[in-house]
Amino acid sequence: MSVPTRLVRRLRAARENNTEIRNQETLEGILFSLPYLLVFSVFLLYPLLKGLYMSLHDWNAIYPSQSEFVFLENYVRMINDPMFWNALWNTVYFVVLTVPPLVMLGLALALGVNRQLKGRRFLRMVFFSPYVLTVAVVALIWIELYAPSYGVFNYYIMQIGIEPPNWLNSATFGMPAVALATIWWTLGFNFVILLSARQGIPERLYEAARLDGAYGWRAFRDITLPQMKPALVFVTVVQFIASFQIFGQVFIMTGGGPGNATDTLVMYLYKAAFNQHEFGYAAAVGYFLFVVLIAVSMVNYKLAGDSA
Amino acid sequence: MSTQATDALRSRIEDTSIRTVGLYAALYGVAALFLVPYAWMISLSLKPRSEMFSRVPHWIPSEPTLQWYQYVLSESLILQWTLNTLLIAGITTLVVLLFDSLIAFSLTRLDWPGRKFVLSVIIASFMVPAYVNIVPLYTLVSDLGLISSYAGVILPLTAGPLGVFLLVQFFRDFPDELEEAARLDGFSTFRIYSRLMLPMMKSPLTALALFTFVSSWNQFLWPLIVLQSEGSYTLPIGLVTLSSSQVFQPGLMMAATLIASLPLFVVFLLLQDYLINAIQIQGTKG
C-alpha cells in the first residue's frame, strides 16, 4: 500500500505545480458544479433573501415595483394579531402531542424488533409502511376512521359506554385526532433510524456488562441510552422541525377548524398569502418560522456536540 | 453446581420466557393496530352503498363490490394524475442524481478555489425549512412564467442540499490510487466521473434516487400552489379535490386512495431494504 500511496502523492504534487493543469482543474471544477449551483442559487438562496426583503414591504402582488417599504410593520402586526398567537399555540400543542410519543414509541418498537423474534421482517414492514403514503391518502383514510356516524372508533368507544366526540369537528379533540393520524403515518421513520442505531451498538458491551451482573433496566440505562444518544437527538430534532411545519394533515382533515381551533403556523401563512394575497405579511410569518427552526437547530448542535 | 444456583438459573430462564411472550404480544398487538387503517380502507372500498353507513362496522362486506373502483377509474382523472406524478417524480429524481453527483464529484475530487466556501454554504442551507420560502418562491416562479407548468414544480425540488451532502460523504472516501491510475491511463476528468466514480457509487446513488422519488411523489403544498388545471394535478392534489368536489361517498374515496397508494406500495415492497437503507444513511450520516 505504501508504494502506490507515495506514487500517488508524487503525482498529485506534480499536478499541483503545473499551472496549466491547475487552471484546467479550476475550470472543470466550476463547470461540474454549475448546474446544481444554478438551481440552488435561483430556487433556494435568492428566495430566501427575497423573502426577507418582501417581509419589510407592504407587498403589491400585482405591481411589485409599487410595494411600499414599511420596515418592521409586518412583524409588529403579526405580534399584535391574536390569530397569530392562536396558530402559534396550536402548533406548539401539536409538537407536544406528537414529538414525545414519536420518539419514545419509535425507541420502544426499535428495541423490541431488535430481539431475536419470529417475523422481524414482517414487523419492520408493518411499522414502516405508512411512511411511504402521501399525506392526502393518510388524511382521507383517517377521516373515514373518525367518521361520527359510521366510523370504527366511535363504534368501539360507544361499546364501552362512553359518548364519543365528533373528533374532527371538535375544538378539544381535533388536534389530538390529527396528532394520532400523524403518529401512525411517520413513526416508521424514527423506528427505522433508531433500529439501525441500536444495531450499531457492539454486542461485546452487553457481554461485558452481563459479567458485571448488569441486565435489563441497568443495561438499558448504562449502555443502550448513552450509545443511542446521537440518534435520539437527531430523531427528536428532525421530528420537531417536521411537526412545527405541520400543514397537509390539518389542511385536509379539519381545514383549521372548527373556528380556528386547529389553525397552525403554516396554515396561517398559507391563508395570508393565498387567500388574502398579503405576500409581505406572509413572508414575515415565514421568517418567524425560520428563526424558530434555526434556534432549534442550534440547540441540536449544542446537544450533539456535548455527546461527541 | 449448587441447587441454589440452578434454581436461580431456572427462575431466570422462566422469567425470560414470560418476557418473550409479553414482547411478542406487545409487538404483534401494535402491528395489528397499525393495520387497522389499511383494513378499514379496503373494507369501505368494497362495500355496497347499503352497508356503507351502518352503525355497526362490518369489516367484511356481505356482498363485496368493485363498483367504486370502476367509478373512480372511469369518472375521474386518477390515471392521468398518476402519470403526471410519475413524470414529475421521475424527472426530479433524474435531475437530482445528475446535478448532485456532478457537484459532489467536483467538491471532493477536484481542487479549485472557493470550493470549501461553496460546500459550507450548501451545508448551512440545510437549516432553511421547506415552507419558509413558499411565498418568495411563488412570486419568483410566477415572474418566470412557470405557474401551472411542471418545470415550476420540479426546479425548486431539485435545489435541496440533502443529496449533495450525502454524496459528498461517499465520494470523499473514493480511493485516490484508482483516480491517479485512471489519469495515468489518459482518462479525462469527465470519464473519471462517469466511468469510474458513478459505477462504484451504486448504493448511495440508489438510496438518493429512492428517497428523492418517494418525497417528490408525496409533495403536497408546492404542487397545490403551482398547478392550476385539473388535468395537470398530481395524485395528492387530485385526491383532495376529488374528496371535496364529488358527492360524498366513502367507498369512492377509499377506492381512490387505494389506487393512489398502490404504485408506491409496489415500489416499497420490491425495494424495502434499499429504501430503509436510504433513511438510515440519513440518520447516521446526517
Side-chain angles (χ1 to χ4, degrees), chain B residues 44-62:
Chain B
L44 280 180
S45 76
L46 296 171
K47 261 180 213 173
R49 201 182 298 258
S50 56
E51 266 181 348
M52 194 72 66
F53 295 102
S54 149
R55 265 201 173 270
V56 181
H58 296 282
W59 285 92
I60 298 170
S62 56

Side-chain angles (χ1 to χ4, degrees), chain A residues 26 29-38 40-41 45, chain B residues 99-100 102-104 106-108 110 112-126 159 161 164-165 168 172:
Chain A
T26 303
I30 293 170
L31 282 178
F32 273 78
S33 308
L34 212 56
Y36 177 76
L37 285 185
L38 206 65
F40 176 73
S41 3
L45 283 189
Chain B
F99 285 14
D100 289 9
L102 278 170
I103 189 173
S106 165
L107 289 171
T108 52
L110 301 174
W112 45 281
R115 68 175 174 149
K116 291 222 168 82
F117 173 72
V118 168
L119 182 61
S120 53
V121 171
I122 293 174
I123 289 177
S125 77
F126 254 117
V164 180
F165 182 69
V168 159
R172 205 174 256 157

Side-chain angles (χ1 to χ4, degrees), chain B residues 2-279:
Chain B
S2 71
T3 31
Q4 221 176 351
T6 340
D7 280 352
L9 192 64
R10 184 174 300 145
S11 80
R12 168 146 282 150
I13 291 170
E14 276 168 10
D15 214 41
T16 316
S17 61
I18 290 173
R19 251 195 244 156
T20 309
V21 172
L23 189 65
Y24 270 101
L27 284 175
Y28 278 91
V30 177
L33 287 179
F34 256 71
L35 293 175
V36 165
Y38 295 127
W40 192 235
M41 164 170 73
I42 296 169
S43 169
L44 280 180
S45 76
L46 296 171
K47 261 180 213 173
R49 201 182 298 258
S50 56
E51 266 181 348
M52 194 72 66
F53 295 102
S54 149
R55 265 201 173 270
V56 181
H58 296 282
W59 285 92
I60 298 170
S62 56
E63 290 168 49
T65 167
L66 291 176
Q67 57 162 324
W68 304 115
Y69 290 92
Q70 285 166 352
Y71 189 82
V72 169
L73 289 172
S74 62
E75 299 297 314
S76 80
L77 295 172
I78 196 161
L79 293 178
Q80 174 75 47
W81 296 334
T82 309
L83 278 178
N84 298 345
T85 320
L86 187 68
L87 193 72
I88 289 178
I91 294 177
T92 306
T93 306
L94 289 179
V95 173
V96 165
L97 284 185
L98 180 67
F99 285 14
D100 289 9
S101 66
L102 278 170
I103 189 173
F105 174 80
S106 165
L107 289 171
T108 52
R109 314 306 304 186
L110 301 174
D111 194 13
W112 45 281
R115 68 175 174 149
K116 291 222 168 82
F117 173 72
V118 168
L119 182 61
S120 53
V121 171
I122 293 174
I123 289 177
S125 77
F126 254 117
M127 290 207 238
V128 181
Y131 291 143
V132 167
N133 268 348
I134 284 281
V135 177
L137 202 54
Y138 173 79
T139 61
L140 171 70
V141 166
S142 154
D143 289 346
L144 294 173
L146 295 176
I147 290 295
S148 62
S149 80
Y150 289 159
V153 179
I154 292 169
L155 285 169
L157 294 182
T158 61
L162 179 74
V164 180
F165 182 69
L166 217 147
L167 294 181
V168 159
Q169 316 275 320
F170 283 91
F171 282 25
R172 205 174 256 157
D173 299 337
F174 187 81
D176 291 339
E177 285 80 6
L178 274 178
E179 195 190 326
E180 289 302 327
R183 281 199 195 278
L184 281 182
D185 282 349
F187 269 47
S188 69
T189 310
F190 186 75
R191 270 185 80 190
I192 292 177
Y193 158 79
S194 63
R195 294 289 162 79
L196 198 61
M197 204 78 171
L198 290 189
M200 302 261 299
M201 292 297 164
K202 257 190 200 133
S203 72
L205 289 171
T206 316
L208 176 62
L210 271 169
F211 192 78
T212 312
F213 187 83
V214 171
S215 68
S216 44
W217 180 285
N218 287 340
Q219 283 293 322
F220 183 68
L221 179 55
W222 184 239
L224 175 76
I225 292 170
V226 175
L227 300 175
Q228 307 195 323
S229 73
E230 206 190 343
S232 71
Y233 283 167
T234 58
L235 262 179
I237 310 171
L239 278 182
V240 172
T241 53
L242 195 65
S243 76
S244 55
S245 68
Q246 305 273 348
V247 185
F248 185 71
Q249 283 295 344
L252 182 79
M253 277 323 299
M254 291 299 97
T257 53
L258 202 139
I259 294 170
S261 39
L262 267 182
L264 273 201
F265 251 98
V266 173
V267 170
F268 169 65
L269 288 177
L270 292 177
L271 302 169
Q272 247 202 91
D273 293 329
Y274 294 100
L275 185 60
I276 287 177
N277 191 26
I279 307 275

Side-chain angles (χ1 to χ4, degrees), chain A residues 15 25 28-29 33 36 42 50 118 121 124 128-130 132 134 144 150 155-156 158 184 192 196 245 293, chain B residues 24 27-28 34 38 40 55 57 59 106 111-112 129 131 139-140 159-160 180 189 218 250 264 268 273 280:
Chain A
R15 287 206 294 130
E25 203 168 321
E28 283 172 343
S33 308
Y36 177 76
V42 175
K50 191 179 176 190
K118 285 207 182 1
R121 222 182 128 74
R124 194 186 69 171
F128 183 67
S129 62
V132 300
T134 159
E144 301 300 341
Y150 59 90
Y155 174 74
Y156 292 110
M158 270 188 294
W184 179 76
V192 155
S196 116
Q245 296 188 78
L293 296 178
Chain B
Y24 270 101
L27 284 175
Y28 278 91
F34 256 71
Y38 295 127
W40 192 235
R55 265 201 173 270
W59 285 92
S106 165
D111 194 13
W112 45 281
Y131 291 143
T139 61
L140 171 70
E180 289 302 327
T189 310
N218 287 340
L264 273 201
F268 169 65
D273 293 329
Q280 289 175 339

